[in-house]
Structure formats: C-alpha cells, structure tokens
C-alpha cells in the first residue's frame, strides 16, 4: 500500500514538473480530469484523489491563471490553464465542483 501511494505521489509530482515546463514553453495548458474521489484507491490511473486535486489546483494557481476555455486563446503572455472534466461523474460533482466554486475557478 505504501509503495503504491509513493508511486502515485511521485507520478503526480513528475506530471506537475512536466506541466510547469509545458506552461513555460507554450503558456497554454488544458487539464482534463475523469473523476475526483476522496481516496486514492478508486482507479488511480483514471482518477485523482480530492487531496491531490486540491494540491494540483494550488500548484496551477502559483504557475499562472486558470481561465474559462473561451479565454484560452485571448492575447497576452501570461500562462493560462483550463480545467475540464470528462464524463462528469459523481466524484467530480461532489468533490471537485465545491473546491472550484470556493476558489472561483472556472471549469
């Protein structure tokens, strides 16, 4: 269990580093989530835990702006990210939407 949690954690850290590089080079990045669950063991290949989702959003906000998809191609040199969901599942509605609404983040 600990090994799998470490693997997931380091996988997320590596992805964030890759996204930081991508944002640095391109200034635009779209992130698509499938679902957000309270625990990590809900199919970690497709889903993200609520805790990791919060950490991910926090990192994105430090890197640049999170905007509505309609604003992604507007001019400017600032780094922009978009948050989207595929097949908006119950976990996304119960766990991600309240977080995004609280932080006034469009999705």
């Amino acid at each position: 269990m600990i090994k799998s949690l470490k693997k997931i954690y380091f996988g997320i850290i590596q992805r964030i580093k890759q996204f930081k590089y991508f944002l640095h080079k391109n200034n635009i990045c779209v992130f698509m989530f499938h679902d957000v669950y309270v625990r990590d063991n809900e199919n970690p290949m497709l889903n993200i835990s609520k805790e990791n989702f919060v950490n991910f959003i926090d990192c994105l906000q430090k890197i640049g702006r999170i905007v509505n998809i309609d604003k992604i191609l507007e001019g400017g040199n600032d780094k922009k990210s978009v948050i989207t969901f595929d097949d908006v599942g119950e976990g996304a509605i119960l766990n991600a939407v309240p977080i995004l609404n609280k932080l006034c983040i469009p999705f």
Side-chain angles (χ1 to χ4, degrees):
M1 179 68 170
I2 297 294
K3 280 186 179 181
S4 64
L5 289 176
K6 283 183 180 179
K7 184 177 179 181
I8 291 167
Y9 173 77
F10 288 116
I12 290 170
I13 296 300
Q14 185 60 34
R15 287 185 197 138
I16 288 171
K17 287 179 182 177
Q18 290 169 348
F19 294 142
K20 274 178 93 170
Y21 175 77
F22 183 84
L23 279 169
H24 175 71
K25 296 298 257 181
N26 301 292
N27 290 340
I28 297 172
C29 203
V30 177
F31 298 96
M32 192 271 305
F33 293 92
H34 182 69
D35 224 335
V36 180
Y37 285 99
V38 176
R39 298 181 314 268
D40 260 334
N41 63 353
E42 300 283 347
N43 196 352
M45 296 304 291
L46 293 176
N47 306 314
I48 187 169
S49 73
K50 183 177 179 180
E51 180 182 358
N52 286 336
F53 182 74
V54 169
N55 292 335
F56 186 82
I57 296 298
D58 184 52
C59 286
L60 280 184
Q61 288 181 307
K62 290 175 183 171
I63 295 168
R65 291 188 309 134
I66 302 173
V67 298
N68 186 294
I69 199 158
D70 296 335
K71 308 268 185 209
I72 198 76
L73 296 178
E74 286 183 358
N77 292 328
D78 57 333
K79 295 171 176 49
K80 296 179 211 135
S81 299
V82 173
I83 303 294
T84 65
F85 291 91
D86 174 42
D87 301 332
V88 181
E90 181 181 16
I93 293 168
L94 295 176
N95 299 312
V97 169
I99 293 165
L100 296 171
N101 284 337
K102 180 181 176 183
L103 298 172
C104 298
I105 295 174
F107 56 97

